[in-house]
Amino acid sequence: MDQLFRRSANNPIIRAEDLPYPANTVFNPGAARLATETILLLRVEDMRGISHLQVARSSDGESGWSFDDEPLLRPNEHHPEEIWGCEDPRLTWLPEREEWVIAYTAFSRRGPLVSLAFTRDFREVRRLGPTMPPEDKDAALFPRRFGKRWAMIHRPSPLRGGAHMWISFSPDMRHWGDHELMLEARDGAWWDAGKIGLGPPPLETSEGWLVMYHGAHQTASGPIYRAGLALLDLEDPRRVIRRSADWVLGPCMPYELAGDVSKVVFPGGWVHDEATGLLSLYYGAADTSVALATAAFSDVMAVIMAAPLRSRRHWEDGDRT
Ligand code: BMA
């Protein structure tokens, strides 16, 4: 089902050479649509190997990118948990607070962990700090509360049994609990066996929360990162009600097949334009550049709605596959 998304003819839309300063790679962006511009929050890996988060702006979301003078988030001495970098941001607009929450991976001496920060304009940022201890990454918040609590999807890496997607709840975004396994990596030969993680933040639709996630399939020549879809219950997002069998985006273009880490597509942001019905998906290609692919939102929904509905029983029985 690789044809669902159509790749931009301008791909890769941003490369390290496009930045106004030397960098090794630019990849795994978060995305946001503001009034007149699309923002990408780019992960830029510098020539030491340490990543920071840099804002890029474009009016059409595809070309003419400009870069802010200073990175929005970069490691500093007040945040030892970020000593080895800020990576892989996901951006969620919170209508209740009228600001964006940035969930990103802070790379600490003891491994990657989940940190949060807030911004209104992507010029000023306020850090909340670490919310999940290592190893944990691939986190994003839902845009609204469930009852009184915020919800966050994230991906801890336990010592045994693969890496799966969890969901946790918080009254204030600082204290998180009621951790629950939400979606498990499949097993064996599957494209999403062993290790999965959330892509862009969950998108609210009339049918449920649309989720895209990546799966890292191990092969003799390293992992292949591809992306698939799932749908969560609107009022109880712990419940996965549908899951695609096939991946919907996988590496096949030269810029996805070869780079610092080859055979990787790693989606981190999407923008749904309700006027045109287009879903723009922004992803890292081979840990080296930023790429864009678009699909009709209705086609994406048709794919996930064609996946079988899971009964409440399935979920209550503890089956998270
Ligand atoms: C994951 C993350 C991503 C990276 C991907 C492929 O574990 O670390 O930042 O893009 O691996 O290398």
Side-chain angles (χ1 to χ4, degrees):
M1 195 54 207
D2 215 18
Q3 316 82 304
L4 177 64
F5 283 93
R6 202 175 46 80
R7 287 165 170 82
S8 165
N10 295 336
N11 273 353
I13 56 169
I14 304 177
R15 297 159 306 161
E17 305 85 280
D18 301 327
L19 294 167
Y21 52 88
N24 178 45
T25 46
V26 49
F27 58 115
N28 297 4
R33 182 70 200 169
L34 274 55
T36 57
E37 55 186 7
T38 297
I39 297 281
L40 291 185
L41 188 55
L42 309 167
R43 170 177 173 189
V44 177
E45 188 184 294
D46 68 21
M47 303 301 278
R48 300 171 301 167
I50 311 286
S51 294
H52 58 264
L53 304 182
Q54 164 73 45
V55 173
R57 301 170 191 267
S58 153
S59 53
D60 68 4
E62 184 165 15
S63 57
W65 295 97
S66 65
F67 302 95
D68 288 8
D69 289 339
E70 292 289 322
L72 188 69
L73 284 163
R74 60 146 69 105
N76 72 37
E77 68 276 16
H78 304 298
H79 293 275
E81 78 280 4
E82 295 176 7
I83 188 159
W84 287 335
C86 306
E87 306 180 349
D88 302 354
R90 273 76 165 189
L91 312 175
T92 306
W93 173 248
L94 307 172
E96 179 190 318
R97 295 171 57 123
E98 295 192 337
E99 62 181 351
W100 296 87
V101 58
I102 307 169
Y104 63 102
T105 302
F107 197 170
S108 79
R109 280 186 195 280
R110 289 293 167 258
L113 56 82
V114 176
S115 274
L116 299 184
F118 300 96
T119 186
R120 281 175 202 269
D121 52 9
F122 292 93
R123 295 190 193 277
E124 310 236 315
V125 71
R126 214 170 67 248
R127 281 174 169 90
L128 185 70
T131 56
M132 298 285 171
E135 291 217 352
D136 206 327
K137 50 166 67 175
D138 298 328
L141 270 84
F142 290 76
R144 63 171 171 86
R145 297 178 194 245
F146 298 88
K148 295 195 162 123
R149 301 189 304 170
W150 300 100
M152 175 161 68
I153 298 175
H154 57 112
R155 207 285 307 282
S157 292
L159 281 175
R160 45 176 292 141
H164 315 285
M165 287 159 64
W166 287 63
I167 187 166
S168 303
F169 296 89
S170 171
D172 57 5
M173 298 196 204
R174 190 179 283 280
H175 306 95
W176 292 88
D178 284 348
H179 312 292
E180 256 190 59
L181 181 57
M182 192 191 88
L183 185 67
E184 280 190 56
R186 289 180 172 116
D187 211 349
W190 279 89
W191 68 271
D192 55 353
K195 183 163 132 181
I196 60 171
L198 182 69
L203 196 62
E204 189 162 10
T205 78
S206 53
E207 305 292 346
W209 294 95
L210 181 66
V211 161
M212 177 175 272
Y213 69 96
H214 63 260
H217 171 74
Q218 279 302 334
T219 75
S221 64
I224 306 176
Y225 277 75
R226 304 185 179 102
L229 299 171
L231 196 68
L232 316 180
D233 186 87
L234 264 188
E235 293 316 317
D236 183 356
R238 299 171 305 165
R239 277 188 68 208
V240 177
I241 53 179
R242 298 178 194 268
R243 180 181 194 170
S244 67
D246 300 353
W247 67 83
V248 294
L249 190 74
C252 63
M253 301 300 277
Y255 52 87
E256 299 162 347
L257 293 171
D260 268 11
V261 184
S262 300
K263 299 184 197 153
V264 175
V265 298
F266 195 90
W270 52 16
V271 173
H272 177 206
D273 182 339
E274 290 181 14
T276 61
L278 269 192
L279 184 67
S280 299
L281 180 70
Y282 296 93
Y283 61 99
D287 284 16
T288 296
S289 60
V290 172
L292 164 66
T294 54
F297 184 70
S298 55
D299 290 347
V300 177
M301 287 309 292
V303 167
I304 191 60
M305 293 309 284
L309 187 64
R310 290 147 182 254
S311 62
R312 179 167 280 276
R313 181 71 183 280
H314 170 110
W315 181 78
E316 281 168 358
D317 285 351
D319 188 346
R320 303 286 187 271
T321 53

